[in-house]
Amino acid sequence: MQQELKSEITRQHIVHEAFKLFYQNGFKSTSINDIMKAAKMTKGAFYHHYKNKEQLALEVIKLKIQKRVFDGMIAPLNEEGNAIEILETTFVNRIKSFPIFDKSNGCPMNNFINEIGNYEKSYQLALKSIIEKWKSALIALIEKGKVEGSIKKSIDNEAVAIFLISAFEGIRGIRKLYNDDQILNAYIKAISNYLQLIKT
């Protein structure tokens, strides 16, 4: 039992260090040697836990990227309150809360999608699963908004969900090109205006 716990702690440490390197330097630019150096471990230790970098990447997607999206963008959609206000809080306030490092480096999930989304079927499925869960949570919230009377009944739930996700992920990527938040402020204004348009 003690060995299992030690092994799990080691795996989490490797995943944590790999995530940081993938986020900062990119998946393809990060070698197993880079990960082992950051984790202060030997290659033998790595291969004891993971058969290759691809298997580790799937763990990073599952344990780090999916958790970030769930905690930051999905869980808030299930909170009590007015649907429009929840959307505003999630898509406007969240973007304001990012530290400069996150603004400069973009969204980890979006980075993975752009770099390896079409590179391997297993990556594609893992990343797509996160998007689908996010989309489903948004559709449910929009439907709730229609029922409570805060969102227009005429709008297409799925179309709005896809638009919100695309706009958020798009601005996270575009912000990497700029040295200040001017473009983020324009996004915030546009999303706030859009939410007013779908509001009853």
Side-chain angles (χ1 to χ4, degrees), residues 100 103-104 174-183:
I100 190 64
K103 289 176 181 177
S104 300
I174 293 169
R175 172 59 178 81
K176 292 191 290 185
L177 303 174
Y178 294 83
N179 295 320
D180 58 45
D181 287 344
Q182 188 174 345
I183 198 159

Side-chain angles (χ1 to χ4, degrees), residues 78-112:
N78 296 316
E79 292 179 4
E80 293 296 319
N82 175 286
I84 285 289
E85 289 174 2
I86 291 171
L87 288 172
E88 179 105 27
T89 298
T90 305
F91 285 91
V92 173
N93 294 353
R94 173 76 172 150
I95 208 92
K96 291 178 181 177
S97 73
F98 287 118
I100 190 64
F101 179 85
D102 288 42
K103 289 176 181 177
S104 300
N105 287 280
C107 170
M109 178 178 67
N110 197 19
N111 293 350
F112 258 66

Side-chain angles (χ1 to χ4, degrees), residues 10 16 52 54 61 74 76 86 88 93 131 134 149 157 169 173 176 179 181:
T10 301
H16 180 69
N52 51 40
E54 286 70 26
I61 292 169
I74 297 176
I86 291 171
E88 179 105 27
N93 294 353
I131 295 291
W134 189 5
N157 296 5
E169 290 302 316
K176 292 191 290 185
N179 295 320
D181 287 344

